[in-house]
Amino acid sequence: MTARTGPLRVAVLASGGGSNLQAIMDYFREAGDARSADVVVVAANRASAGALDRARAARVPAEVIRDPSDGGAMTRLLESYRTECVVLAGYLKLVPPEVTARWRGRIVNIHPALLPKFGGAGMYGRRVHEAVLAAGETESGATVHQVDDVYDRGAIIAQERVPVKPGDTADTLAARVLAAEHHLYPRTLDALARQLITSR
Ligand code: GRF
């Protein structure tokens, strides 16, 4: 059997602005021929998601997920791009079990807190940072984790910590955590892609 070469084929799912998507696309583009992954499609559950504009600007196919609960349709969409790894970047819908099963060990998410704390259903956006501040935490951060059928429960792959500073608001803390996400996510995906490529 001949080993396949070339970058890992990554699909990114998003719901929002897509700044993590941008960080990921920029990182792999900048790596040029040495890159470990290519973003081959971006799919969003909202046609107005900024992530789709970022994809188009980068000349990456942009797709709208009509029914996020339709696992068969999502599987067909991802397979049509020969997706090897699924990356959630601000994707706010539960991924159907068919998809998590098909890409088990190859589907990851980033969460804007230090899991296992401050995760689970309803813990997204400002609410996460408000909860961190209300709990009087002295640090927060970003977590990259495997995705299974339960929100924010999969195995933790990597974390990056940031301090909670006196006088922080949810907005100032969110900005600090987001900067950590932009640093952590591409580098973690790079490491994961290199592992997955060797197991092709
Ligand atoms: C990030 O904080 C991510 O952790 C969370 O949603 C936000 C997405 O931001 N799940 P963006 O769309 O990547 O700018």
Side-chain angles (χ1 to χ4, degrees):
M1 200 169 77
T2 330
R4 274 185 292 155
T5 54
L8 195 77
R9 298 178 65 81
V10 170
V12 176
L13 305 187
S15 299
S19 68
N20 275 291
L21 164 70
Q22 191 70 56
I24 292 163
M25 292 191 302
D26 290 349
Y27 181 89
F28 289 116
R29 287 260 158 104
E30 279 163 23
D33 290 345
R35 71 195 184 285
S36 59
D38 277 327
V39 178
V40 296
V41 61
V42 174
N45 59 299
R46 293 190 306 121
S48 61
L52 295 179
D53 296 326
R54 292 183 189 267
R56 291 182 197 107
R59 299 186 182 283
V60 171
E63 300 271 4
V64 177
I65 300 164
R66 302 285 164 197
D67 177 2
S69 66
D70 185 343
M74 197 183 292
T75 300
R76 285 191 293 279
L77 175 72
L78 295 173
E79 288 194 333
S80 73
Y81 288 93
R82 290 184 286 127
T83 296
E84 297 178 286
C85 176
V86 181
V87 170
L88 310 188
Y91 186 67
L92 297 178
K93 299 288 182 182
L94 194 63
V95 178
E98 254 174 290
V99 175
T100 54
R102 166 69 179 75
W103 281 276
R104 192 170 303 287
R106 298 162 167 255
I107 174 164
V108 297
N109 182 41
I110 191 159
H111 184 78
L114 297 174
L115 292 175
K117 283 176 155 184
F118 308 108
M123 269 293 178
Y124 62 87
R126 278 183 71 88
R127 291 195 221 172
V128 177
H129 308 294
E130 283 164 358
V132 169
L133 292 174
E137 298 287 328
T138 56
E139 62 176 10
S140 189
T143 302
V144 180
H145 63 94
Q146 302 276 2
V147 173
D148 58 24
D149 299 342
V150 181
Y151 279 109
D152 302 334
R153 194 197 60 180
I156 291 171
I157 301 171
Q159 293 186 310
E160 185 162 320
R161 291 165 189 277
V162 303
V164 176
K165 296 186 178 173
D168 260 344
T169 63
D171 288 338
T172 59
L173 180 56
R176 196 174 307 122
V177 171
L178 191 61
E181 292 180 45
H182 296 164
H183 182 257
L184 177 68
Y185 214 0
R187 287 162 182 79
T188 305
L189 293 175
D190 186 17
L192 182 66
R194 288 176 196 283
Q195 286 172 25
L196 292 175
I197 284 171
T198 60
S199 70
R200 267 175 174 164

